[in-house]
Amino acid sequence: MRARHVVVAGGGIGGLTAAVALRRHGWRVTVCERAAALTGVGAGIVLAPNALRALASAGLDPGRWAGDVLPGQVGLRTPDGTWLRRSDDDELSTRYGLSARAVHRGFLIDTLAAALPAGVVHLGVSVTGVDDAGDAVAVRTSAGDLRADVVLAADGARSALRGRLFPRHPGLRHAGEAGWRAVLPGADPPVRQAAETWGRGERFGVVPLADGRVYLYATAVSGPGARPADHHAELTRRFGAWHSPIPELLDRLDPRDPDPVGVLHHDFHELAAPLPRLHAGRVALLGDAAHAMTPNLGQGGCQAVEDAVVAAHLLASADDVPTALAAYTKARHRRTTLIARRSRRVGELARLSHPLAAPLRNLAVRATPRALSLRALDTVFGWQPPAAPAPGPATPAPVDVEEQR
C-alpha cells in the first residue's frame, strides 16, 4: 500500500512536531523550509505542561532531553521587587502532573529535527502555492512541484498560504507593544527565579533556561515601526532602576563588551480576527499561521505543538483527509481562539500606564485568591493529547544540555 504523503510548509516548532508525529503514523513527510538553515530565533521558550504532554504523545519525551524544571518560585512582581503573585514548582507539579521546562528555541528546533531522518527537511525551499484537486494537492515550491495527500501550512504569522486560502481575511494587526529578547550566558551566582515584573506600560521577564543560560525579555507600549537607536541604552533607561537582578543582567548586555550579546527587537502582532476555520479541503493551518497571538501567556509555541499532534492523530488512520481536517478545525478552533483572546486581555492589563490604573491593577492581582488564579490556568495547562502514541520510530536519544551552553 502506498504511504500517504504530507507536505509541511515551514520548519519551525509546529511544522517539525507535525512531521515527527506523522512519520510515527507511517506517513511520508516532506518539510519545506524557506530559510537556509533551521534556527530557533535567539530566544527562550517555556514548555508548559500542555506542550510537554503533546511532545510526549509524539514520542518526544521531554523528560529525557529538556533538562531541569523551572526552579523555585515563579510569579509576578512590581519594579521594587514586591511579589504580586507566585507559585512554587511543587504546587504546579501536583496540580498538573508536570513541571514547566524552559529551553532555548534553537535547542528545541535541533531536538525536533534530530528525530527526523535525512532527506525529510528541505532547506531553502518555500511553498508558493497549492492547487487542491479534491483527491490530492499539487504543491508549488521554489524547487519544483510536489504531489501530496495533505498540506500542513506552518509558515508563520505572515503565512503566505493563509492569505491564499482566506484572501478576504484582514490578516495581522499591531498589538500596541514592542518587545526585546536576549539570551545571556550562565552567571555566578546563577539566576534561581523565573518572574515577570509589571510596571506602567512596561514589563521585564527573567527565565533561567535548562542549560544554565538566562532568557530575558522586555516589552513597552509602542506604535508600529518604532525603533530605538540604541537598544541597551533604551532598556537601561526603562528598567535600570528596577529590582535585582534586572540591572545586573542589563549590564551584561552592554554593547561595549568584547563579546556582546545580541538583542532582538520586534513589534507584537496578532490576527485581527479569528479565521473562519483552520482548514480548506486538504490544506490545514498550524501555529502562528492559524492563530497568531500575543506572547502574554507564553502559549504561541505551545499551541503550535498541540495543533501538530492533534492534526497527526486525526490524519493517522483517516480514510477521508478533508473530513479529518474538518475534525481538526472542530478540535482546535475554539480552544486557540479563547487562548488568543485571553492573551490579548492579559496584555491590555499589563499595558496600563495611568498613575492610578496601574496600582489598582496590582491591588486586584494581589487580592485574587490563589485558588482562583490557579483555576484560571487549568483550561490552558490541563489540556490532554487525544491519544497515546502509536508504535513507530524510537524516541530520539537524550541530549546533554551541558553541550548547549
Side-chain angles (χ1 to χ4, degrees):
M1 181 178 176
R2 178 184 68 89
R4 290 180 296 176
H5 183 210
V6 56
V7 171
V8 180
I13 292 170
L16 292 177
T17 303
V20 172
L22 281 164
R23 278 202 74 254
R24 284 176 56 81
H25 289 298
W27 282 65
R28 183 165 66 91
V29 180
T30 301
V31 178
C32 297
E33 168 52 50
R34 63 176 174 244
L38 290 177
T39 59
V41 177
I45 180 172
V46 176
L47 297 172
N50 53 309
L52 295 173
R53 289 190 205 94
L55 289 166
S57 77
L60 293 156
D61 180 8
R64 299 182 61 195
W65 49 263
D68 294 334
V69 301
L70 278 175
Q73 299 285 344
V74 178
L76 187 62
R77 306 178 80 173
T78 61
D80 66 1
T82 301
W83 287 94
L84 295 175
R85 184 175 65 218
R86 56 181 164 177
S87 301
D88 59 50
D89 175 63
D90 290 341
E91 182 178 28
L92 296 177
S93 178
T94 299
R95 191 173 188 90
Y96 300 115
L98 290 167
S99 297
R101 287 168 160 82
V103 300
H104 195 284
R105 283 179 178 264
F107 172 76
L108 178 57
I109 291 289
D110 289 346
T111 301
L112 294 169
L116 296 168
V120 168
V121 179
H122 298 258
L123 299 174
V125 177
S126 58
V127 175
T128 58
V130 292
D131 294 316
D132 189 342
D135 59 344
V137 186
V139 186
R140 297 191 299 278
T141 82
S142 57
D145 290 353
L146 300 171
R147 182 179 174 86
D149 295 281
V150 64
V151 173
L152 299 181
D155 53 342
R158 301 187 182 279
S159 169
L161 293 184
R162 182 184 66 228
R164 293 179 183 277
L165 295 180
F166 302 103
R168 297 183 179 180
H169 188 272
L172 296 176
R173 67 180 171 199
H174 192 268
E177 285 183 286
W180 294 264
R181 295 178 293 166
V183 175
L184 293 172
D188 187 18
V191 175
R192 295 294 189 188
Q193 293 178 324
E196 183 169 285
T197 302
W198 284 9
R200 289 168 47 191
E202 300 170 327
R203 285 176 285 171
F204 199 99
V206 178
V207 181
L209 300 183
D211 61 11
R213 290 182 287 180
V214 183
Y215 170 40
L216 310 180
Y217 63 90
T219 75
V221 173
S222 174
R227 295 286 184 273
D230 184 326
H231 292 306
H232 178 257
E234 182 70 7
L235 289 167
T236 300
R237 180 183 72 81
R238 289 179 177 274
F239 306 105
W242 287 23
H243 66 80
S244 183
I246 293 174
E248 294 84 354
L249 294 171
L250 289 176
D251 286 344
R252 297 174 58 201
L253 291 176
D254 192 330
R256 294 171 296 182
D257 189 286
D259 187 20
V261 172
V263 178
L264 301 173
H265 180 268
H266 57 285
D267 288 339
F268 289 172
H269 291 89
E270 61 181 346
L271 282 189
L275 293 171
R277 58 191 182 282
L278 304 185
H279 79 288
R282 289 176 173 265
V283 183
L285 300 166
L286 306 182
D288 284 347
H291 41 69
M293 63 183 70
T294 61
N296 303 304
L297 288 179
Q299 278 290 308
C302 295
Q303 290 304 302
V305 171
E306 285 189 19
D307 289 346
V309 300
V310 171
H313 167 74
L314 293 170
L315 287 167
S317 58
D319 295 325
D320 186 304
V321 166
T323 299
L325 295 187
Y328 166 74
T329 284
K330 184 176 181 180
R332 299 300 301 157
H333 190 277
R334 175 175 169 79
R335 174 169 171 78
T336 55
T337 298
L338 291 176
I339 289 175
R341 185 179 302 153
R342 185 182 296 184
S343 183
R344 184 182 314 119
R345 288 173 178 168
V346 170
E348 290 167 352
L349 280 176
R351 287 198 302 273
L352 291 175
S353 58
H354 190 278
L356 295 179
L360 287 174
R361 171 202 65 197
N362 294 348
L363 183 62
V365 171
R366 295 185 70 178
T368 301
R370 188 181 190 82
L372 186 60
S373 297
L374 287 171
R375 281 202 298 274
L377 294 174
D378 287 351
T379 55
V380 179
F381 293 167
W383 178 88
Q384 296 288 338
T395 300
V399 178
D400 185 352
V401 296
E402 292 293 326
E403 296 177 358
Q404 302 301 315
R405 295 194 180 195

